[in-house]
Amino acid sequence: MSELPGLLALTFRAVIDQLHENLAAEGFSDVRPAHAFTFQYLSHRPEGVTAVELGEHLGMTKQAAVQLIDELTQRGYVERRPHPTDRRSRLIRLTQRGWFCIERMVFWSAEIERHWAGLIGADQLDQLQNGLREFVRDTATRRPVTLRPVW
């Protein structure tokens, strides 16, 4: 049996752990991995999303998504705004603190990649990244591939 899936999972876990350690040192100790998936989704939808849309993306019920939104609102990462066409619904958007946290995640992710380039060489890292992109493209031809937690 190939150890590649396990190595990919371990690498992902190591990256997430390092990111959260770095974020905690910068004042974001209340950010959990599930929050990062939420931030990533919201960052591509600056106009906002509903709790239903966020729940569908994250693979959770609307009720669980509302709990997550409540938590992130209390911590200052997201805000609720009136929906422009549905009075019963609210749009969830990142706040300035949420955007700043994303900025720091991007910075630390780039630092991790620079470290990896130092370990295996920039060319080999580029080859690895290109190969992984091809695996994702191939899988996406059979079913949608989204970045979300595995609950």
Side-chain angles (χ1 to χ4, degrees):
M1 180 168 167
S2 171
E3 64 178 321
L4 184 58
L7 290 171
L8 290 170
L10 287 169
T11 302
F12 180 74
R13 175 63 191 262
V15 167
I16 295 299
D17 289 350
Q18 185 64 58
L19 277 174
H20 286 278
E21 184 179 310
N22 293 339
L23 289 172
E26 293 185 341
F28 297 105
S29 60
D30 56 351
V31 173
R32 298 190 335 253
H35 299 159
F37 290 105
T38 302
F39 295 165
Q40 190 274 340
Y41 184 68
L42 292 174
S43 72
H44 293 280
R45 290 151 187 86
E47 70 284 352
V49 301
T50 65
V52 171
E53 291 168 328
L54 181 61
E56 286 173 358
H57 171 74
L58 294 174
M60 60 175 52
T61 65
K62 177 186 174 188
Q63 293 78 9
V66 168
Q67 286 182 325
L68 178 63
I69 292 163
D70 286 345
E71 182 180 330
L72 292 173
T73 300
Q74 291 169 358
R75 295 176 184 192
Y77 293 105
V78 302
E79 63 184 358
R80 289 179 169 97
R81 293 281 177 107
H83 194 289
T85 60
D86 183 354
R87 292 183 308 147
R88 298 168 299 144
S89 190
R90 309 275 286 169
L91 290 178
I92 313 309
R93 297 184 349 179
L94 290 163
T95 62
Q96 186 175 0
R97 179 169 172 77
W99 284 109
F100 184 60
C101 185
I102 288 172
E103 182 181 305
R104 300 313 298 158
M105 285 182 196
V106 170
F107 171 81
W108 287 115
S109 294
E111 287 296 308
I112 290 167
E113 285 189 31
R114 276 191 277 283
H115 176 72
W116 288 350
L119 290 174
I120 66 171
D123 290 343
Q124 196 167 352
L125 186 59
D126 285 344
Q127 286 179 339
L128 175 62
Q129 201 166 20
N130 291 335
L132 292 172
R133 270 193 206 104
E134 192 56 39
F135 294 158
V136 170
R137 268 193 288 276
D138 178 65
T139 300
T141 63
R142 293 185 299 282
R143 62 180 164 72
V145 178
T146 59
L147 184 60
R148 67 182 203 179
V150 179
W151 302 107

